[in-house]
Structures are given as structure tokens and as C-alpha cells.
Amino acid sequence: MYSYTELLDIIATLRGEGGCPWDKAQTHESLIPCLRDECEEVVQAIGEQDDENLCEELGDVLLQVLLHAQIASEEGRFTIGDVVNGLAEKMIRRHPHVFGDEEYGSPEQNKARWEEIKRQEKEAKKKRKTAQNQA
């Protein structure tokens, strides 16, 4: 069984010197149709309750994520580690009822709090961008 690290190495090899010409030629933009198709295939597998196909299609979505992260890493923009870290931080921030001291009793309250935190994050991000553009 392959590890996550080995999978990252496989993706880097595919895009590296001597790698696959198709993989090496891909850009964020050229991969958009692939990402859409793979996400739709996940939805279809869920609808069909086909666990075997769902497992395969989730792998295909993960491939899309890893390819985009590899491209960004090659361009010096961000790495898969940044993606993983950002997601972990977001999950902790958006679940204060699990990782903090807030309490919420219902799924509806949890969803409302999630949306409020998300809105606050987007506002803060917009303010940071505005400040950066003015600097």
C-alpha cells in the first residue's frame, strides 16, 4: 500500500523531467474540465451507492487537488502542505463547539455559526487585500 508521501512523489515525477508529457503540459486552467468531471463522477457514485466507484472517483478528485498544488509549488505560489495546513486551521476555526469552548445544541445552530465564521473570514480577507493594494 502506498503512502501519502509516496503519492506526492509520484505526482512530482509525473510533472518532472522525464515525466508524462500530458501531466507536464497541464495548467490550473486546462485542468478545470477534469476537476468538474471528476466531481460529477463522485456525485454519481454517491447517487448510485457504489462504494467501489466512489473510492476510485474520490482518488481522481484527490489527483486533481494534488496536481493543482504541484503546479502552484512549481510556480513558487504555495504547496500541498499549505493547502493541508490551511484546511486544518479552517476546520478548527469553524468548529468552536468541538475545538473551543462554545456550545451549540443543534445541527442548524452549528451550520449558522459556521456561516457566520465564514462571513467574518471573508470580510477580514477582503480588508487585508484592500490594505495590501493600498500599500
Side-chain angles (χ1 to χ4, degrees):
M1 181 170 280
Y2 290 98
S3 70
Y4 173 73
T5 302
E6 289 170 321
L7 179 57
L8 295 180
D9 291 342
I10 290 167
I11 301 303
T13 299
L14 287 171
R15 287 196 42 92
E17 192 172 325
C20 173
W22 184 89
D23 289 293
K24 289 168 36 172
Q26 298 313 301
T27 65
H28 292 299
E29 294 76 17
S30 71
L31 287 169
I32 290 171
C34 299
L35 181 58
R36 285 186 177 135
D37 290 346
E38 298 305 346
C39 288
E40 184 53 42
E41 289 173 3
V42 166
V43 171
Q44 183 177 352
I46 292 169
E48 294 171 359
Q49 298 181 347
D50 184 346
D51 286 345
E52 183 178 341
N53 193 36
L54 177 58
C55 182
E56 179 180 343
E57 297 305 337
L58 287 172
D60 291 345
V61 170
L62 178 59
L63 170 62
Q64 293 300 308
V65 171
L66 296 177
L67 282 170
H68 282 282
Q70 180 64 33
I71 291 166
S73 178
E74 292 165 4
E75 295 171 352
R77 296 164 60 188
F78 60 85
T79 68
I80 189 64
D82 297 322
V83 173
V84 169
N85 186 67
L87 177 57
E89 288 178 350
K90 181 191 299 186
M91 292 300 98
I92 291 168
R93 272 193 321 272
R94 293 193 185 172
H95 290 87
H97 57 290
V98 175
F99 300 104
D101 56 6
E102 294 185 27
E103 291 187 27
Y104 294 95
S106 72
E108 293 79 18
Q109 289 171 313
N110 292 339
K111 184 173 182 353
R113 181 65 173 133
W114 171 284
E115 292 300 331
E116 174 62 19
I117 294 168
K118 183 177 178 178
R119 184 190 62 73
Q120 291 170 354
E121 290 170 352
K122 287 190 182 288
E123 284 179 11
K125 189 176 188 178
K126 187 176 179 179
K127 286 179 184 177
R128 281 192 309 273
K129 280 193 172 195
T130 300
Q132 287 174 348
N133 289 341
Q134 292 174 350

